[in-house]
Amino acid sequence: MSKIVEIKKLLFDYIRRDEEGNVEGITTAVDNVSLTISQGDFVAILGHNGSGKSTLAKHLNAILYPTEGTVLVDGKDTSEEDNIWEVRQAASMVFQNPDNQIIGQIVEEDVGFGPENLGVPTPMIWERVEKALKAVNMYQFRSKSPNRLSGGQKQRVSIAGVLAMQPKCIVLDEPTAMLDPSGREEVIEAIRELNKKENITIILITHNMEETIYADKIYVMDEGKIAMEGTPREIFSEVEKLKSLRLNVPQATMLAYELKKAGVPLPDGILTKEELICHLS
Amino acid sequence: MSLILDHVSYSYDVGTSYKQEALKDINIVIPDGQFVGLIGHTGSGKSTLIQLLNGLLKPTSGNIYYNGQDINDSDYDRKTLRSKVGLVFQYPEHQLFEENVFKDVCFGPKNLGLDEKEVNLRAYDALEKVKLSHDYFYQSPFDLSGGQKRRVAIAGILAMKPEVFILDEPTAGLDPKGSEEILTLIKNLQKDTGMTVILVSHNMEDVASYVDRILVMNKGELKMDGSPKDVFKKTEELSNMGLRAPEVTYIVRELRKKGFPVDDSAITVSEAKETILNALYHKILNE
């Protein structure tokens, strides 16, 4: 499998300056991180507020450049200015608030904005728009105004918008934080479909533990470093360690952990309610 | 002393062709000191409802009474209402603006026309309540972490000494530990000061463990009103409204269906643990 993301010894400093431009303080947000993600992987990044996960993500889209180290996206060095458009086309980002990302008056116009800017010929734009909207199950809303959509629907339109640029990798920074339970489910389902059917690499940043149980791999960040990495089962087996990193585990995992502590013979790292029910009955 | 909504309806853009009915005939009585959870999918009318409670919107029809007075009477003092019914918006830290934390918290009480000493006392007291370390009092609010900023924003409302405290998704975007800290803080404030809390949330697990009563909104109507156990029992109705019960509730219900003698009304991890352990114990005794 080809490598879509290669991060080598990445270090990033936020530099605070006073009004005269003198350096007031330096905060190292990402501290010597190395990781590789293969094309088609579904990777989740967890970490408390301020752990450096969003800063890391912004490097994949050339919004931020490394202070030290290198970031290669689809083989291209993100710190070279000539690569910026190729990098951004290979790895697209979806952010937390759908209202900040939607600009079109009607849904299909919004989704067409990306490919139009890439200079894609008009007939092909329509083709891409149709395909992207169908992929996130929003085709029936194509001529609606985005204002009239629910949060989950808006966020799926945002995903269609990046999809129409045909990226190899989509980075989602807390895409469900503002959504209600059904909106969350819709978005996560759409992401999983894209990963399975279109083989698009997914990098999902989230505070919601339930959303990460289908990932191939989870990275947990703390103080700019990678504190844990492994499969969801490996990660969620370490309940106490996650708690010390200000995180949590899915509720089914928590219940299994508590039962096990009370003497019920259960394996570590149960992830879903189905698994737990199966072991208990 | 309570908050009463009597046949309250609200429509947006009345008199235009865009008229939209956001709330239909809502009747609620909230006694003092209750911790109420308000749930419903996006667009169900939750935000409209809380804006009516603090007088930001006026009902199209019906009345809202606070401590026996109609808050929309022409001679009712709106300013006092807004200090008594405090509303913390979503992402309240976006509204921080002062040069330091302490000044930001002073803004509310200062606008109530209180003297400087009282303003300072209240700001100090509010920052103590949200457990923000003294080291941060004179820092710029923009240098704080997400969780700390949110505490400052909450302190800004607390400093007005509200009797009813309304929070619109106070934990959105916070890490699990940060969410727990904020909710525990609110719960303790409710217990210690006896204030009424109305919590808007999309997180059913949070609602299950903190509130006394749940109001469920759907398409502008109040669909359910009851204890967390009563509301989360109705999993099918909830699912039709785009909502769900906490994950553990589905686990105990499924176990019960499989003939496992558990109490299927459990809504928190500790309740589920208790009843499953009990059931296992009895199973062993019987074998």
Side-chain angles (χ1 to χ4, degrees), chain A residues 210-248:
Chain A
E210 269 86 4
E211 292 172 2
T212 67
I213 61 178
Y214 302 105
D216 298 309
K217 191 163 188 182
I218 296 178
Y219 290 96
V220 180
M221 292 197 64
D222 181 40
E223 291 181 358
K225 296 186 173 68
I226 292 175
M228 297 167 79
E229 61 176 286
T231 62
R233 208 173 293 283
E234 287 163 0
I235 297 289
F236 291 130
S237 295
E238 303 202 46
V239 178
E240 292 304 323
K241 186 159 184 199
L242 284 166
K243 284 199 155 186
S244 74
L245 295 171
R246 299 179 62 85
L247 299 176
N248 207 338

Side-chain angles (χ1 to χ4, degrees), chain B residues 131-150:
Chain B
K131 300 198 169 63
L132 193 82
S133 150
H134 289 211
D135 303 345
Y136 299 114
F137 281 18
Y138 296 100
Q139 280 196 18
S140 161
F142 303 105
D143 289 341
L144 305 181
S145 76
Q148 287 166 338
K149 275 189 217 169
R150 196 150 306 173

Side-chain angles (χ1 to χ4, degrees), chain A residues 16 47-49 96 148 151 174 177-182 185 207 209 246-248 251-252 254-255 258-259 262 264 273 276-277 280-281, chain B residues 20 41-42 90-91 172-178 181 202 204-205 242 244 246-248 250-251 254-255 258 260 269 272-273 276-277 280:
Chain A
R16 270 177 294 130
H48 57 81
N49 293 112
Q96 200 177 83
R148 299 279 171 194
E174 293 190 52
M178 301 180 81
L179 307 182
D180 56 33
S182 59
E185 243 167 71
H207 283 317
M209 306 298 139
R246 299 179 62 85
L247 299 176
N248 207 338
Q251 226 184 8
M254 196 60 195
L255 179 55
E258 289 287 339
L259 288 171
V264 181
K273 61 174 189 286
L276 178 59
I277 290 164
L280 283 175
S281 49
Chain B
Q20 217 180 359
H41 65 79
T42 319
Q90 259 184 40
Y91 294 87
L174 295 185
D175 57 46
K177 183 77 184 162
E181 286 168 358
H202 283 322
M204 303 304 142
E205 280 79 19
R244 45 180 300 128
E247 189 81 352
V248 290
Y250 295 97
I251 294 174
E254 194 60 35
L255 284 171
K258 297 203 164 191
F260 215 69
V269 170
K273 174 189 164 188
I276 291 173
L277 285 177
L280 285 170

Side-chain angles (χ1 to χ4, degrees), chain A residues 27-224:
Chain A
T27 314
T28 303
V30 177
D31 190 359
N32 199 17
V33 165
S34 298
L35 62 91
T36 306
I37 297 170
S38 301
Q39 176 61 34
D41 273 0
F42 180 170
V43 172
I45 302 180
L46 296 174
H48 57 81
N49 293 112
S51 62
K53 53 193 191 316
S54 291
T55 306
L56 178 71
K58 284 178 186 153
H59 280 83
L60 303 177
N61 194 233
I63 296 172
L64 295 175
Y65 309 105
T67 309
E68 282 173 34
T70 50
V71 176
L72 302 181
V73 173
D74 200 19
K76 305 275 184 312
D77 189 335
T78 61
S79 56
E80 274 175 42
E81 225 181 309
D82 291 346
N83 289 338
I84 187 166
W85 297 111
E86 284 173 82
V87 166
R88 288 198 181 149
Q89 208 186 329
S92 295
M93 270 193 96
V94 174
F95 297 95
Q96 200 177 83
N97 189 346
D99 291 324
N100 295 345
Q101 298 169 75
I102 292 180
I103 45 161
Q105 299 294 313
I106 55 170
V107 166
E108 58 184 1
E109 197 178 282
D110 185 79
V111 177
F113 181 77
E116 193 181 0
N117 273 327
L118 295 175
V120 175
T122 310
M124 280 170 71
I125 295 180
W126 289 115
E127 232 171 77
R128 285 192 185 194
V129 168
E130 186 182 329
K131 197 170 165 245
L133 282 171
K134 281 182 175 161
V136 296
N137 205 9
M138 284 296 290
Y139 188 62
Q140 66 272 35
F141 296 95
R142 65 189 176 282
S143 46
K144 289 256 181 337
S145 160
N147 297 328
R148 299 279 171 194
L149 302 179
S150 74
Q153 290 168 338
K154 280 187 203 167
Q155 201 58 303
R156 283 187 286 153
V157 171
S158 305
I159 295 173
V162 301
L163 209 53
M165 312 220 288
Q166 301 186 333
K168 291 182 176 167
C169 172
I170 302 181
V171 184
L172 303 107
D173 193 355
E174 293 190 52
T176 64
M178 301 180 81
L179 307 182
D180 56 33
S182 59
R184 275 170 187 246
E185 243 167 71
E186 287 167 22
V187 168
I188 294 303
E189 207 170 295
I191 295 170
R192 288 182 64 201
E193 286 283 294
L194 293 177
N195 178 248
K196 275 190 286 187
K197 288 196 181 146
E198 319 271 335
N199 199 37
I200 293 175
T201 308
I202 299 291
I203 300 173
L204 173 68
I205 297 174
T206 182
H207 283 317
N208 188 312
M209 306 298 139
E210 269 86 4
E211 292 172 2
T212 67
I213 61 178
Y214 302 105
D216 298 309
K217 191 163 188 182
I218 296 178
Y219 290 96
V220 180
M221 292 197 64
D222 181 40
E223 291 181 358

Side-chain angles (χ1 to χ4, degrees), chain B residues 217-234:
Chain B
M217 299 290 301
N218 190 44
K219 293 183 182 153
E221 290 176 54
L222 180 65
K223 284 289 182 188
M224 296 186 205
D225 177 355
S227 70
K229 274 193 194 296
D230 286 338
V231 167
F232 288 135
K233 222 187 280 175
K234 300 172 184 154

